[in-house]
């Protein structure tokens, strides 16, 4: 058991000494977030920032034309895309699109983990976004918005990254599932909250990254945390607690019954959310 806890011991020590290397947001996401937070920014200036990154620019145009925004007239420039999407959404969407760049590794085992976690995350994002759209349509409750939902679901498990990076550093010892699974299970929430704070994200994102797995943490009103959990449960996470999450979601009025999440419409909403990341 001693070696099993060795990775945990290293992680705890690094957290306590403040020496755990946290991932940094990709530069373009930082630029966009900074611009969006500037009270003087206008849409033209924001379009200029986005145009500096051809890949982001292309994907923004794609999102503007997607079913996600439900518009029929096609846009063809970053300028039009920014105008259609709006500043707050731009901030969250550009961050979301940049996230994938963080899930890379040179170590074969760590790489497999990263790739699996990213594809699981996209499934959870798609489910959460689809659930929110169904919930909004049913209840007319608009307190939660889709772009924040996308970002909350994308960062919910971000705390695994420094653990995987640490394992990659000592690959001969730690790059195996025995250590990784235990360390991720025990530490990811705490580390995830640190990353969200370090990145200057709003409290709701810190809350999701820290507590999504801890079912004792709940809120009175419907929150991003509830929808991330439901999205994850729909992907088969929370094995033995799945039913608890489903029951809590119905009790809270997220949906009236689970059959509302088994329709063709739900599947279409899921698929159009996934398209954003292709």
């Amino acid at each position: 058991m001693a070696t099993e806890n060795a990775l945990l011991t290293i992680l705890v020590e690094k957290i306590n000494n403040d020496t755990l290397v946290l991932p940094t947001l990709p530069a373009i996401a930082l630029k966009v977030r900074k611009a969006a937070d500037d009270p003087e920014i206008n849409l033209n200036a924001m379009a200029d920032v986005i145009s500096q990154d051809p890949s982001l620019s292309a994907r923004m145009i794609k999102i503007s034309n997607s079913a996600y925004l439900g518009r029929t007239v096609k846009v063809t420039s970053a300028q039009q895309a920014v105008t259609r999407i709006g500043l707050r959404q731009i901030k969250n969407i550009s961050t979301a699109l940049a996230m994938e760049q963080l899930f890379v590794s040179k170590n074969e085992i760590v790489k497999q983990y990263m790739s699996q976690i990213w594809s699981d995350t996209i499934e959870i994002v798609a489910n959460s976004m689809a659930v929110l759209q169904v919930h909004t349509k049913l209840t007319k409750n608009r307190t939660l918005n889709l772009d924040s939902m996308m970002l909350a679901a994308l960062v919910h498990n971000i705390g695994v990254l420094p653990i995987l990076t640490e394992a990659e550093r000592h690959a001969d010892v730690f790059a195996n599932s025995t250590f990784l699974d235990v360390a991720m299970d025990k530490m990811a929430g705490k580390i995830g909250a640190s990353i969200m704070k370090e990145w200057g994200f709003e409290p709701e994102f810190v809350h999701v990254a820290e507590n999504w797995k801890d079912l004792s943490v709940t809120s009175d009103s419907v929150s991003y945390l509830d929808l991330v959990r439901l999205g994850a449960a729909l992907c088969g996470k929370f094995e033995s607690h799945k039913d608890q999450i489903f029951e809590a979601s119905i009790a809270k009025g997220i949906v009236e019954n689970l059959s509302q999440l088994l329709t063709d419409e739900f599947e279409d909403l899921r698929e159009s959310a996934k398209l954003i990341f292709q």
Side-chain angles (χ1 to χ4, degrees):
M1 196 61 198
T3 34
E4 183 131 321
N5 288 329
L7 180 55
L8 274 182
T9 310
I10 289 177
L11 290 166
V12 170
E13 198 168 289
K14 289 199 166 190
I15 287 170
N16 293 340
N17 302 337
D18 223 9
T19 54
L20 185 68
V21 178
L22 301 179
T24 53
L25 258 184
I28 185 63
L30 279 172
K31 271 189 195 161
V32 172
R33 293 183 74 80
K34 194 173 171 204
D37 288 340
D38 176 357
E40 302 291 301
I41 190 84
N42 62 40
L43 292 170
N44 287 345
M46 181 57 100
D48 289 344
V49 173
I50 285 170
S51 300
Q52 292 167 21
D53 187 303
S55 150
L56 180 62
S57 203
R59 292 175 87 174
M60 280 291 184
I61 293 168
K62 185 177 164 189
I63 285 183
S64 305
N65 291 325
S66 71
Y68 169 72
L69 287 175
R71 303 289 170 77
T72 45
V73 180
K74 291 279 182 244
V75 308
T76 52
S77 68
Q79 179 78 45
Q80 293 168 314
V82 165
T83 307
R84 176 170 287 186
I85 295 172
L87 284 175
R88 190 210 65 234
Q89 285 182 282
I90 289 275
K91 179 180 171 179
N92 287 342
I93 292 170
S94 60
T95 307
L97 294 177
M99 292 293 295
E100 190 174 2
Q101 298 171 25
L102 299 175
F103 286 78
V104 290
S105 169
K106 293 188 178 73
N107 174 280
E108 210 36 60
I109 292 168
V110 173
K111 194 173 168 179
Q112 282 169 6
Y113 265 91
M114 293 264 195
S115 159
Q116 186 59 54
I117 288 165
W118 178 251
S119 69
D120 286 353
T121 298
I122 295 306
E123 292 297 330
I124 294 172
V125 168
N127 284 340
S128 307
M129 286 172 70
V131 169
L132 177 55
Q133 287 166 288
V134 169
H135 172 70
T136 306
K137 194 174 170 184
L138 283 171
T139 60
K140 309 290 179 265
N141 169 16
R142 298 192 177 278
T143 47
L144 303 180
N145 54 65
L146 207 50
D147 53 289
S148 296
M149 182 70 261
M150 181 204 295
L151 192 52
L154 268 175
V155 299
H156 79 279
N157 206 15
I158 195 80
V160 300
L161 286 180
I163 299 172
L164 290 166
T165 306
E166 203 53 50
E168 185 166 18
R169 282 214 178 102
H170 311 280
D172 48 339
V173 189
F174 296 132
N176 69 66
S177 56
T178 317
F179 300 129
L180 286 172
D181 293 344
V182 173
M184 290 194 294
D185 190 49
K186 288 205 163 55
M187 305 293 298
K190 185 175 180 166
I191 296 171
S194 303
I195 297 171
M196 293 290 91
K197 288 173 189 160
E198 178 80 15
W199 287 359
F201 276 36
E202 290 80 1
E204 61 260 37
F205 298 110
V206 179
H207 186 58
V208 168
E210 185 164 24
N211 300 310
W212 74 279
K213 265 190 172 169
D214 180 356
L215 299 184
S216 69
V217 176
T218 56
S219 60
D220 294 334
S221 53
V222 175
S223 68
Y224 294 114
L225 183 65
D226 295 320
L227 298 183
V228 166
R229 278 181 189 152
L230 181 52
L234 290 167
C235 289
K237 305 286 172 194
F238 294 110
E239 292 120 349
S240 55
H241 299 290
K242 249 195 347 242
D243 292 341
Q244 184 187 337
I245 292 169
F246 293 151
E247 283 157 21
S249 301
I250 293 166
K252 219 171 195 182
I254 294 173
V255 288
E256 289 154 6
N257 55 63
L258 287 182
S259 63
Q260 290 169 332
L261 307 180
L262 298 170
T263 61
D264 289 346
E265 183 193 12
F266 184 78
E267 197 45 48
D268 289 345
L269 291 168
R270 249 179 56 77
E271 287 308 311
S272 73
K274 279 166 75 171
L275 282 175
I276 294 168
F277 297 96
Q278 278 169 14

